[in-house]
Amino acid sequence: MITETSPRDRIVRAAAALLAEGGREAVSTRAVSRAAGVQAPTIYRQFGDMRGLLDAAASYGFAAYLHAEAARDLAGDPVDDLRRGWDMHVGFGVANPAFHALMYGDPRPGETTTAARVAADILRQLVYRVAEAGRLRTGVDEATDMLHATACGVTLALIRTPPQQRDAALSARTREAVLGALVTDSPAARATSRAGRPVRHAVALRAALDDLATDLTAAERALLAEWLDRIIRTVGP
């Protein structure tokens, strides 16, 4: 556990502050050493290399943002909570472009930064709650991937646009368009709600299957999961 006065804590805080103030280029070994009051070898002993330090700094910044957002209670409606999760993701990236760039700007196959993994896990849990409520029109993984990809794209588009030229409604319009394809209570989904009802039930059962208390054997549970996945893929929207 990191204590407030530990060298690791001071290094991470210093790197995060430099990142917020001056971007990635400002986070040099010399600058971090000076700000944290440590020798350069200490940084590399703690984090391995500069990429490890930057990952830790981005995770620290994202965690601080999440801590501030946690003071707000969940809305209770899982779809509204999902909307809030989208807004949180976009809001963090636009307010902290250097952190967003570290989380998503240098993708490498098979590698995901800690902060990006946490963000994806949070989003998946929000999508899972919508599925449990029987209001998701596709599988949890597919919905999570769609939401994550579009939220990242919107964030990047807003970051690239000068503040005075940004469309203030772009994020909300895109969010509602994606939710229209994924969630049953959106205006775009109401016209097909009857036809999509069996799929929504399949999605809800699939989401709950791992925690469902039944007498099914492991093989039967796996077979049921396969059937439900097939229904979702072939009959879904």
Side-chain angles (χ1 to χ4, degrees), residues 11-213:
I11 292 168
V12 170
R13 288 172 181 262
L18 289 166
L19 185 63
E21 293 169 6
R24 185 169 182 168
E25 294 74 16
V27 188
S28 66
T29 302
R30 177 177 297 178
V32 174
S33 298
R34 185 185 306 116
V38 300
Q39 298 297 317
T42 304
I43 296 175
Y44 293 101
R45 282 199 301 270
Q46 294 285 345
F47 301 97
D49 54 22
M50 186 56 67
R51 186 176 180 87
L53 174 58
L54 289 169
D55 184 18
S59 299
Y60 174 83
F62 187 58
Y65 183 83
L66 289 178
H67 181 73
E69 286 291 311
R72 298 168 52 190
D73 294 331
L74 292 175
D77 183 320
V79 177
D80 285 342
D81 288 336
L82 184 54
R83 287 187 173 95
R84 178 187 164 195
W86 171 291
D87 293 342
M88 181 185 70
H89 180 108
V90 175
F92 173 78
V94 172
N96 303 276
F99 289 88
H100 186 271
L102 276 177
M103 292 168 66
Y104 301 106
D106 186 20
R108 300 183 182 185
E111 294 185 21
T112 305
T113 63
T114 302
R117 186 165 56 251
V118 170
D121 288 343
I122 291 170
L123 180 60
R124 192 181 191 284
Q125 287 302 313
L126 293 171
V127 173
Y128 183 85
R129 291 186 61 232
V130 177
E132 282 189 312
R135 296 165 66 184
L136 193 64
R137 302 176 68 205
T138 187
V140 171
D141 290 340
E142 180 180 356
T144 301
D145 288 345
M146 290 176 64
L147 285 161
H148 195 244
T150 48
C152 286
V154 166
T155 305
L156 183 59
L158 291 172
I159 290 172
R160 285 176 171 172
T161 305
Q164 66 275 16
Q165 297 177 19
R166 288 173 185 164
D167 180 354
L170 174 64
S171 179
R173 286 202 309 271
T174 307
R175 181 194 67 208
E176 294 307 308
V178 177
L179 289 178
L182 299 175
V183 177
T184 60
D185 60 351
S186 66
R190 288 187 186 125
T192 59
S193 61
R194 183 182 297 273
R197 192 174 301 157
V199 176
R200 297 197 302 273
H201 291 321
V203 170
L205 179 56
R206 181 65 181 88
L209 185 58
D210 290 341
D211 299 322
L212 198 61

